[in-house]
């Protein structure tokens, strides 16, 4: 019998990096995500096919279920997509020893709704889908594989904006309302370069300064954003957020680096240096960004779930 699973993509509006240390973050699930479809096979094998948003095959693999029995996490260095997939399956098996402990296998097909380079959660949606299939805790599966704060897993599971923080090493997720009057003046702009979030996290951990009051200040900005009623006040909040994160990570703000003459406010999202930024502008900024070579400008309501 065929089964299917679906998970939402993600964007982190506030709290990037410092969410790892307990700051309160605002995140939104995206309308585009990833699905996973299972078709039983009569042989104890997995036939894996991954398709991109254009329905083009970008990855395929085949393995015998015996491999899961004789492979440990400690022996896997996930330097290729095939080894990363093996790591995920072995980790799921560690969390649930009955997972794929059968004499039959599956044809697995995954389908992305968004371009892979967009960084909306190719990995997190896969982790959440596999966790549903295996009947395991997706946060535990993430910890054994990619690592990270887990906010992306929370987005994969929720159909509304969320506030997310880590308390005593456990995720805390609260669905919230975020549809302000100025949301039609918010845009997501792709910076033409996919950012490796694991590298971004490593950079943050290596270079972050004394957190001091930064966690409480970012948490306060997150709470203020949820209460903010005007575009100008929202712009001030995200400018303050950029200043705090730049000081912690010793990185140049994207507005200073690329958009000094922008009539509005811009904010990096997730790992700085790639993927999307958030632009807040009185008027539609599409022409401005396209003139600078950034052709993907998505209005807020077209991106969010």
């Amino acid at each position: 019998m065929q089964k299917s699973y679906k998970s939402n993509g993600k964007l982190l509006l506030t709290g990037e990096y410092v969410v790892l240390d307990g700051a309160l973050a605002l995140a939104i699930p995206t309308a585009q995500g990833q699905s996973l479809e299972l078709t039983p096979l009569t042989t104890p094998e997995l036939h894996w096919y991954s398709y991109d948003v254009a329905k083009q095959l970008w990855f395929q693999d085949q393995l015998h279920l015996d491999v899961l029995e004789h492979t440990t996490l400690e022996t896997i260095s996930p330097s290729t997509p095939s080894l990363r997939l093996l790591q995920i399956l072995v980790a799921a098996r560690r969390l649930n020893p009955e997972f794929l402990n059968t004499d039959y296998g599956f044809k697995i097909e995954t389908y992305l709704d968004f371009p892979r380079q967009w960084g909306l959660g190719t990995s997190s949606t896969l982790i959440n889908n596999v966790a549903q299939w295996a009947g395991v805790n997706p946060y535990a599966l993430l910890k054994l594989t990619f690592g990270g704060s887990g906010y992306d897993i929370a987005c994969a599971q929720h159909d509304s904006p969320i506030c997310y923080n880590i308390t005593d090493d456990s995720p805390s997720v609260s669905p919230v309302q975020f549809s302000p009057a100025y949301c039609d003046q918010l845009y997501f702009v792709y910076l033409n370069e996919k950012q490796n979030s694991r590298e971004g996290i490593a950079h943050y951990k290596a270079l972050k300064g004394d957190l001091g009051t930064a966690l409480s200040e970012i948490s306060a900005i997150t709470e203020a954003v949820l209460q903010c009623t005007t575009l100008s006040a929202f712009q001030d909040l995200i400018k303050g957020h950029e200043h705090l994160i730049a000081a912690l990570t010793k990185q140049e703000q994207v507005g200073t680096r690329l958009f000094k003459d922008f009539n509005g406010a811009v904010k990096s999202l997730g790992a700085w240096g790639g993927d999307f930024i958030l632009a807040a502008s009185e008027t539609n900024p599409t022409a401005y960004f396209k003139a600078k070579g950034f052709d993907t400008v998505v209005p807020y309501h077209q991106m969010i779930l």
Side-chain angles (χ1 to χ4, degrees):
M1 186 169 124
Q2 194 173 55
K3 288 187 177 182
S4 62
Y5 305 93
K6 181 70 182 289
S7 294
N8 304 321
K10 49 74 179 178
L11 281 170
L12 189 62
L13 296 192
T14 69
E16 66 271 16
Y17 298 120
V18 288
V19 66
L20 293 159
D21 290 304
L24 184 67
L26 173 61
I28 57 172
T30 63
Q32 299 165 313
Q34 183 170 204
S35 59
L36 183 150
E37 298 179 1
L38 301 173
T39 304
L41 299 176
T42 57
T43 56
E45 299 175 320
L46 297 182
H47 297 180
W48 195 286
Y49 304 91
S50 292
Y51 297 90
D52 63 18
V53 68
K55 302 295 189 292
Q56 297 296 310
L57 184 69
W58 69 269
F59 170 73
Q60 69 180 93
D61 201 5
Q62 183 172 327
L63 60 88
H64 197 281
L65 293 185
D66 282 351
V67 173
L68 304 182
E69 186 72 31
H70 301 105
T71 305
T72 64
L73 283 177
E74 292 72 24
T75 61
I76 302 172
S77 177
S79 56
T80 65
S82 291
L83 289 172
R84 177 63 81 180
L85 173 61
L86 179 61
Q87 180 196 43
I88 293 168
L89 296 173
V90 170
R93 183 75 167 268
R94 174 175 289 185
L95 295 170
N96 177 10
E98 296 305 311
F99 177 55
L100 293 176
N101 188 12
T102 62
D103 57 2
Y104 62 90
F106 293 92
K107 175 185 178 183
I108 302 104
E109 296 169 291
T110 68
Y111 295 90
L112 281 170
D113 299 330
F114 54 84
R116 290 174 56 212
Q117 68 271 20
W118 276 16
L120 295 185
T122 304
S123 301
S124 57
T125 51
L126 175 62
I127 289 292
N128 194 62
N129 284 337
V130 172
Q132 292 180 82
W133 172 24
V136 302
N137 185 318
Y139 296 100
L141 185 58
L142 181 74
K143 188 172 183 179
L144 288 175
T145 52
F146 291 93
S149 70
Y151 90 87
D152 45 4
I153 296 298
C155 284
Q157 301 176 338
H158 285 78
D159 294 335
S160 73
I162 58 169
C163 272
Y164 181 91
N165 70 312
I166 299 171
T167 305
D168 297 326
D169 292 326
S170 296
S172 176
V173 186
S174 301
V176 296
Q177 293 292 324
F178 183 68
S179 185
Y182 52 84
C183 60
D184 287 340
Q185 294 164 298
L186 304 181
Y187 301 81
F188 297 103
V189 184
Y190 182 59
L191 293 186
N192 300 334
E193 181 179 355
K194 191 177 189 307
Q195 179 72 6
N196 186 311
S197 57
R198 293 184 299 280
E199 291 178 1
I201 289 171
H203 174 87
Y204 164 70
K205 289 180 175 179
L207 293 182
K208 69 179 177 183
D210 180 10
L211 289 174
T213 61
L215 297 185
S216 60
E217 290 175 332
I218 292 294
S219 296
I221 288 176
T222 296
E223 292 174 340
V225 163
L226 289 172
Q227 302 299 322
C228 184
T229 59
T230 67
L231 179 65
S232 60
F234 179 78
Q235 290 172 328
D236 288 341
L237 287 169
I238 64 176
K239 287 176 182 177
H241 193 295
E242 287 285 277
H243 178 76
L244 284 168
I245 298 300
L248 278 179
T249 62
K250 302 175 178 61
Q251 297 182 82
E252 188 177 16
Q253 297 177 43
V254 67
T256 304
R257 182 166 58 90
L258 296 175
F259 308 117
K260 283 184 178 180
D261 59 344
F262 179 59
N263 185 20
V266 295
K267 181 187 178 300
S268 290
L269 304 176
W272 281 24
D275 296 339
F276 281 88
I277 60 168
L278 175 65
S281 173
E282 289 277 1
T283 57
N284 189 327
T286 300
Y288 169 86
F289 287 110
K290 286 191 173 184
K292 288 184 174 290
F294 303 102
D295 293 331
T296 301
V297 181
V298 185
Y300 180 83
H301 277 308
Q302 288 184 23
M303 181 69 83
I304 67 168
L305 187 63

